[in-house]
Each structure stands twice: as structure tokens, then as C-alpha cells.
Amino acid sequence: MSIVRDLMKRFPTRLVRTGFGYGSSVFPQKGNDGKDRQIDMILIVDDVQEFHKTNMKINKRDYSYSMRFGGPEIVTSFNKRAAGLFFNPFVETDLGVLKYGVISTERAVDDLENWTSLYLSGRLHKPVKFCTPQHPENSALDLSQSLPSIDDPIGRALRLNLYSAIRTAIMLNLHSYHSKSTTLDDVLLNICKLSYTGDIRTQGFEDQQKVNKIFEGSYDNLKQLYEPRINEMTGLEYSNGKIDIDTSAAVITKQVENMPSALYPLRIADLAPYDHISMKQYLSERIEEIVKSSSTSQTTFNAITAGPSKSIRYAYAKLKKAQKSKQN
């Protein structure tokens, strides 16, 4: 059984819609086998307050002193702010040190479909390992299911998020009206970059080579995730690592119209068919604006909710990674 499934058992699983593990502890990267690293997880729950109320009884020590004192109501109020995630870092478990976040189903679906913060949706552009708890009537907990069903709102939103990532990466690769092809590698690298454009954590505070390490270390998984979907998309012809793009006005306009709503103000429809350079510039600026806003607010609230000792410990670990990456 995977580490994600084993860790899921420590939570009130009846209140968890689905969850996933990510990062180098789950997917080792080039030059980093993930050993002695914090394990990263995110849990998606229907009722945030009910989850924290129950989880604080089971895993009280996961929370900082201030959050324990405030109780589930205060934790829930923080959970609704910034990008909609509440994190408990440096949680000691039998399987290693864990950092986990909690987000409501409503906020998760909104970000996956509309890219309102590109925080959860950006994380889910990259490979992750899902675990979806099942509680059959009169049966024991079943953790065999990975991805949520396509009939589930989260399952549908996850699928849409991947197609949105492809469309956006393709648009960012159109250097002029005459650009009619790109490569799979360029598209995958662009996808990896999306949620780090404007992220304050990668501007001197985190590993400076993070995007390249994700791309290189997760390449096979990225290819497995996106190649079938590229083959399905209209306006794209894929063969042997090359993607030919239908750049006719009608097709490009349709691609843009199907992008997440946070990227699609009225004027981009006029730019799309004819002015690829201006459209690329607009998309880059808009993505940077979204990521900078959400990463700044989420990082601030993480420091408050984690408490001073864990926040200092976390910042020190990130600074060490940043310094190490600059030396490589």
C-alpha cells in the first residue's frame, strides 16, 4: 500500500471526499530521492468545520497552540481565507514528517475549473497520488480507489483542469501568427511553470531550480498524464513528440473561450485570432497576477496558523533549499 493510503488512515476518512500526496517524498526528483523530506498531502472535504472538529479530537497535536485554543471555528475561519487551504506542517507520524492541507470541495472545484487562485489547480497540473476513501455499507474502510469518479464534481473538475493547462501552455507557445507547431516537451515545461509564475516562494525563498527538477524528475509521469489528452483535443495533431496546431481564427478563438474564466476577460477574444504575441503577453501577466496574489496571501496565513516555532522551522528549511540550489 502506498504511503498516501497509509497516511489517510490517520484522518476521519468519512469526512474526506478525496486526498492526494505530492512532492519529492511521493515523486522523487532528479538529485533528490525524497528521503528525510516532509511528506506533502492535501485533503478535500465537504464540511471544513466538521472535519476540523473531528480531526482536532483525533489528531489534536497536529495543530498549533493558538489554533487549539481557538478551536474548530477559528481554524475554519482561516481555512476560508487566501487560497482556501489550511495547512498543518511538521506533523510527526510513524511514516515520517507530514505536512497536510485541507480545502473544501466547493473551493477546490472553483479553483480547478476557473483558476481563481491557481494554488490547488496549479499543484494538480503536476503528477500526484490520489486516495479516495470508500465506506461501503456494513463494510470496512476501502482505500483501494485512487482518483475520484468522473461522475464526482471533483473528478470532472480535475479532468477540466488538465485540458485547461494544455490549452494555456499551447497559447503561451504561439510566438507569432505563423507559429503552427510546438513540441510535447515545451508544452509540459510550460505546464510545470504555470503555478510558479509570480510565486513569491520561488523568488529567493525556495529552490531556484524547482520547475526544472519537477519537469525532469516527473517527465515520464507528466507524459503519461498529458499525452492521451493532447491526442483527444481538437485543433491539435500529435505525433512523435511534435504537436501541430490549427491556428485558424475560429479554432484559436474556441480554445481561448474554453480557458478558465479567471484568464478570460472580454478583450482576449479580440486578441486571440490575430495577435498571438499580445495574447501571450496578456496571459503571462494575468497568470503572474493570480499566482502572486494567492501565494502571498496563503504564505502569510500559513505563518499565522502554523505558529511561530513551526513557521521559523519551515522558513529555515526553505532558505536552506534556496541556498543549495543557487550553489548547484
Side-chain angles (χ1 to χ4, degrees):
M1 187 171 286
S2 74
I3 192 170
V4 177
R5 289 188 170 93
D6 286 338
L7 285 168
M8 183 65 77
K9 296 174 186 176
R10 71 186 301 279
F11 299 110
T13 52
R14 290 188 181 275
L15 300 174
V16 177
R17 195 179 194 100
T18 190
F20 61 90
Y22 62 97
S24 57
S25 291
V26 177
F27 290 96
Q29 298 165 4
K30 186 177 180 180
N32 179 9
D33 59 8
K35 293 179 180 178
D36 303 319
R37 298 292 299 276
Q38 212 170 195
I39 306 160
D40 295 300
M41 283 186 72
I42 287 179
L43 307 175
I44 301 174
V45 305
D46 289 338
D47 189 329
V48 168
Q49 184 163 328
E50 187 63 27
F51 173 84
H52 287 301
K53 181 180 178 181
T54 307
N55 196 48
M56 289 180 97
K57 295 176 182 176
I58 301 171
N59 299 306
K60 182 178 179 180
R61 292 179 64 83
D62 292 2
Y63 296 81
S64 67
Y65 288 112
S66 59
M67 293 298 105
R68 282 184 244 169
F69 181 77
E73 293 82 6
I74 295 298
V75 173
T76 300
S77 71
F78 277 107
N79 213 142
K80 294 178 179 179
R81 301 180 188 183
L85 281 136
F86 180 95
F87 283 97
N88 279 324
F90 297 109
V91 174
E92 300 290 341
T93 77
D94 293 339
L95 298 171
V97 179
L98 169 69
K99 179 184 79 174
Y100 67 92
V102 179
I103 188 170
S104 71
T105 300
E106 182 181 4
R107 287 293 293 269
V109 170
D110 178 50
D111 193 36
L112 289 167
E113 291 183 348
N114 303 312
W115 288 13
T116 45
S117 72
L118 260 173
Y119 204 94
L120 180 76
S121 55
R123 166 43 54 199
L124 287 167
H125 290 161
K126 276 80 76 176
V128 302
K129 288 188 179 179
F130 267 95
C131 177
T132 302
Q134 302 290 308
H135 291 273
E137 191 173 350
N138 300 322
S139 299
L141 169 66
D142 179 6
L143 293 174
S144 62
Q145 183 174 336
S146 52
L147 277 168
S149 164
I150 193 64
D151 297 323
D152 186 283
I154 294 293
R156 291 194 298 271
L158 286 167
R159 181 179 174 85
L160 184 61
N161 183 47
L162 296 178
Y163 286 115
S164 295
I166 296 168
R167 287 190 186 97
T168 305
I170 291 286
M171 294 301 106
L172 291 172
N173 263 23
L174 293 179
H175 304 297
S176 73
Y177 183 71
H178 301 290
S179 298
K180 296 185 183 295
S181 67
T182 185
T183 66
L184 176 66
D185 285 9
D186 282 345
V187 169
L188 296 182
L189 184 58
N190 265 347
I191 289 171
C192 291
K193 289 178 180 177
L194 287 174
S195 62
Y196 292 109
T197 304
D199 191 335
I200 61 166
R201 295 168 300 171
T202 55
Q203 296 175 4
F205 190 60
E206 271 205 17
D207 188 341
Q208 301 296 294
Q209 305 298 322
K210 188 163 190 172
V211 171
N212 287 334
K213 286 182 178 179
I214 292 172
F215 172 70
E216 293 172 5
S218 304
Y219 182 79
D220 290 340
N221 290 308
L222 284 164
K223 189 175 179 182
Q224 184 178 6
L225 188 62
Y226 286 103
E227 208 171 34
R229 290 171 171 84
I230 291 171
N231 274 318
E232 293 174 1
M233 294 178 67
T234 58
L236 303 178
E237 291 290 337
Y238 176 69
S239 178
N240 297 322
K242 183 182 178 182
I243 304 171
D244 291 318
I245 308 163
D246 184 342
T247 57
S248 64
V251 171
I252 293 295
T253 300
K254 190 66 177 177
Q255 296 283 24
V256 171
E257 288 174 348
N258 285 326
M259 283 183 176
S261 60
L263 302 184
Y264 185 59
L266 292 176
R267 73 182 190 90
I268 198 173
D270 299 324
L271 290 174
Y274 312 111
D275 191 350
H276 295 169
I277 294 176
S278 295
M279 183 182 66
K280 176 182 176 180
Q281 181 179 351
Y282 167 77
L283 284 174
S284 297
E285 291 173 354
R286 180 65 185 130
I287 290 167
E288 182 174 355
E289 181 183 344
I290 294 169
V291 173
K292 185 175 183 180
S293 174
S294 63
S295 68
T296 301
S297 57
Q298 188 66 54
T299 299
T300 301
F301 281 112
N302 289 350
I304 296 170
T305 58
S309 61
K310 286 187 176 181
S311 294
I312 292 170
R313 182 180 173 187
Y314 186 76
Y316 178 69
K318 292 296 184 183
L319 285 170
K320 280 183 68 177
K321 283 171 63 179
Q323 287 298 115
K324 183 178 179 181
S325 72
K326 287 177 180 178
Q327 293 169 3
N328 292 339

